[in-house]
Amino acid sequence: MFLDCSRLIVDNQPRLSNGIAVTDVDGDGAFELVVTGYGTNNLILKWDDGRLVDIASPLLADAAGCTVAITAADVDGDGREELYVLNSDCASGPKEMGDRLFACFGKHWIDLLAQPENAGMANRVAGRSVVAMDRHGHGRYGFVVAADGGPFRLFELSRRGRLEDAAEDAGIDLIAAGRGLVCLPFLSDRMDLFACNEGGPNFLFRNLGDGNFEEIAEERGVADSRFAGRAVATLDTDGGAFDLLVGTWEGPQRLFRQRSGGGFVDEATGEMSMPGRVSTVIAADFDNDGYEELFFNLHGEPNRLFGWRHDEWQPIELGDALEPKGNGTGAVVADIDGDGRLELLVAHGGGAAQPLSLYRTAATSNGWVRVLPLTPYGAPARGAVVSCTAGGRRQRRAICGGSGYLCQMEPVAHFGLGPLHAVEQIEVRWPDGTIAIIDNPPAGRVLTVPYPPE
């Protein structure tokens, strides 16, 4: 399936990397790849003249950091995404190094968590993942931090322009060894939250419609408390409700299918469920055949890939992306070069230093369309749900607020169309319930969909 193109990364030296996020750092309308560094500098990789070049400023590079996870979202409603950088200089419990929240004003970046008015918001508990959440559906996001040895945190900007922890107010301040997070409207009409936990049950928080949540993991069948949850991604396997792909650390892998009544049932095949040291899971249509593939990034073991073939999930040869000795920690997908095919970038950490890995798939004649919804402020609408109808078949994607483990995918809904090259309809549903419908849009391009005017 995959071909190694790592040579396209300029000065790709061995390093300890963890999470990756995809966002527009320099404000030029194109997305960059922000790669964290543990005890080394963060990278901001920009596609420039057929290569990925690091453009990180000294502040964003933060060479002294111990960065684990990273996520982007528009916190202040200025149309630019901020960067939440989760540092963890220890495995669990109290930590010495605080997190960063980088915001751009013009061309100048500052760390909001370093400002005197936000001194009380310093996160001093180790964590693993962070996800963007617009719990009220107003287009301004907060950041949920999965703590390890402390309560979950929800950092939002108050009306006075100060950061505050709203986790207790929202009802998500539970204590766990938090790992992977996803946040999207898959239970309610607002953004809900699922959290993989290690050494205890997973959390499933349903948004009650007013920004408050109730935890219902046991009730819905996804608590899975016997195994160490590590990574999670969402997909729509049948054109209905969103399902959960959960990777565990040395436990069985899960494909929780959501039933019409709201409960989940594990339907992972025998081969898919095989135990392994899973770091990240990704659902994406790499070959544009109209069906998402399921990628399992493992640490110190061969990666795995499954595709929907002949009405069942079957293992697929990974090609160069097998990485049998890769210390995988995080991975993302994005159309880096704008050719309508997704690239796969894999980071390595938690062991010996290794270079980043970049993979492409072979070109096909399959059609495609990509959809970028925007908030009322003009930023990527993370958490929006996009539906694509082509040839009478409906596909759905959620714009990523944070996924896998430590990572955040591009804020674009990517649809492969198989042999088709025409689309009947695109529907975008924002986290506040607003809907836009585009009939007969052109295929083979990126459709930017602004938030509808009143």
Side-chain angles (χ1 to χ4, degrees):
M1 171 71 78
F2 293 105
L3 305 173
D4 187 2
C5 297
S6 305
R7 66 185 184 281
L8 300 179
I9 305 173
V10 175
D11 196 25
N12 186 21
Q13 300 297 316
R15 51 182 276 124
L16 294 178
S17 302
N18 290 298
I20 312 170
V22 186
T23 183
D24 181 8
V25 176
D26 58 8
D28 68 348
F31 296 116
E32 286 79 46
L33 299 149
V34 186
V35 183
T36 66
Y38 195 87
T40 186
N41 56 301
N42 301 324
L43 304 175
I44 298 176
L45 299 178
K46 185 175 185 62
W47 186 252
D48 182 16
D49 195 24
R51 306 178 304 164
L52 283 171
V53 181
D54 181 24
I55 62 167
S57 66
L59 178 70
L60 297 182
D62 196 16
C66 293
T67 309
V68 174
I70 187 165
T71 290
D74 184 8
V75 174
D76 53 10
D78 67 350
R80 289 283 297 273
E81 292 196 307
E82 282 70 48
L83 283 170
Y84 192 100
V85 178
L86 176 59
N87 285 308
S88 285
D89 51 21
C90 58
S92 63
K95 63 183 183 181
E96 294 295 326
M97 181 171 292
D99 299 341
R100 321 282 194 230
L101 179 50
F102 294 120
C104 187
F105 297 91
K107 295 185 177 181
H108 181 60
W109 288 85
I110 66 169
D111 178 7
L112 295 181
L113 284 167
Q115 305 308 303
E117 62 268 25
N118 296 321
M121 288 296 102
N123 179 30
R124 295 295 181 181
V125 177
R128 290 298 181 270
S129 289
V130 56
V131 68
M133 172 192 283
D134 178 6
R135 62 181 173 126
H136 296 290
H138 54 25
R140 294 174 58 168
Y141 295 80
F143 293 107
V144 179
V145 178
D148 193 339
F152 278 35
R153 310 289 295 272
L154 171 55
F155 294 105
E156 296 178 337
L157 206 61
S158 72
R159 294 180 179 178
R160 296 180 298 171
R162 295 184 178 182
L163 289 170
E164 59 184 14
D165 182 3
E168 182 178 1
D169 177 64
I172 65 169
D173 59 330
L174 302 186
I175 297 175
R179 296 298 185 258
L181 300 170
V182 289
C183 190
L184 70 154
F186 64 102
L187 299 174
S188 71
D189 293 332
R190 295 288 188 266
M191 291 186 78
D192 309 298
L193 176 67
F194 178 81
C196 288
N197 295 320
E198 191 170 274
N202 300 325
F203 297 151
L204 179 62
F205 295 102
R206 178 172 60 187
N207 195 322
L208 299 177
D210 57 0
N212 295 309
F213 295 81
E214 63 173 349
E215 203 287 307
I216 57 172
E218 186 70 35
E219 172 189 327
R220 295 298 176 90
V222 293
D224 211 20
S225 56
R226 293 177 54 200
F227 303 103
R230 178 58 57 99
V232 59
T234 58
L235 69 156
D236 179 8
T237 57
D238 56 8
F242 280 102
D243 310 307
L244 294 168
L245 178 66
V246 177
T248 68
W249 189 263
E250 298 184 333
Q253 318 313 324
R254 307 295 198 188
L255 177 56
F256 288 117
R257 291 280 304 278
Q258 187 172 179
R259 301 296 192 178
S260 58
F264 291 82
V265 177
D266 180 21
E267 294 189 1
T269 64
E271 287 183 282
M272 186 185 298
S273 66
M274 289 294 293
R277 296 180 176 181
V278 173
S279 292
T280 292
V281 291
I282 293 174
D285 189 353
F286 291 104
D287 57 6
N288 286 341
D289 68 345
Y291 297 90
E292 291 180 288
E293 285 76 48
L294 308 181
F295 174 72
F296 292 79
N297 178 218
L298 281 82
H299 186 92
E301 303 177 37
N303 296 325
R304 305 172 187 172
L305 185 69
F306 295 86
W308 186 251
R309 306 289 188 267
H310 308 294
D311 295 326
E312 64 178 359
W313 292 106
Q314 297 182 358
I316 298 176
E317 294 291 333
L318 275 153
D320 293 341
L322 187 65
E323 291 197 354
K325 297 182 180 180
N327 296 322
T329 48
V332 297
V333 292
D335 182 9
I336 295 169
D337 55 6
D339 66 352
R341 285 180 291 147
L342 294 174
E343 281 76 42
L344 171 68
L345 182 68
V346 180
H348 308 97
Q354 295 178 339
L356 299 170
S357 298
L358 179 66
Y359 300 103
R360 284 173 166 168
T361 58
T364 71
S365 60
N366 290 335
W368 56 274
V369 66
R370 291 164 52 78
V371 184
L372 170 59
L374 302 178
T375 69
Y377 307 104
R382 298 189 184 269
V385 175
V386 183
S387 301
C388 172
T389 303
R393 177 171 170 263
R394 183 171 180 257
Q395 302 182 57
R396 290 202 309 162
R397 307 281 188 269
I399 304 301
C400 184
S403 187
Y405 173 57
L406 320 177
C407 297
Q408 185 186 49
M409 312 297 147
E410 62 174 353
V412 181
H414 178 92
F415 297 96
L417 303 176
L420 303 175
H421 291 270
V423 176
E424 293 152 26
Q425 188 180 86
I426 294 291
E427 177 187 292
V428 179
R429 189 185 189 282
W430 281 265
D432 67 351
T434 298
I435 294 175
I437 295 177
I438 303 100
D439 290 320
N440 302 309
R445 65 182 62 184
V446 179
L447 304 177
T448 300
V449 184
Y451 186 86
E454 295 183 3

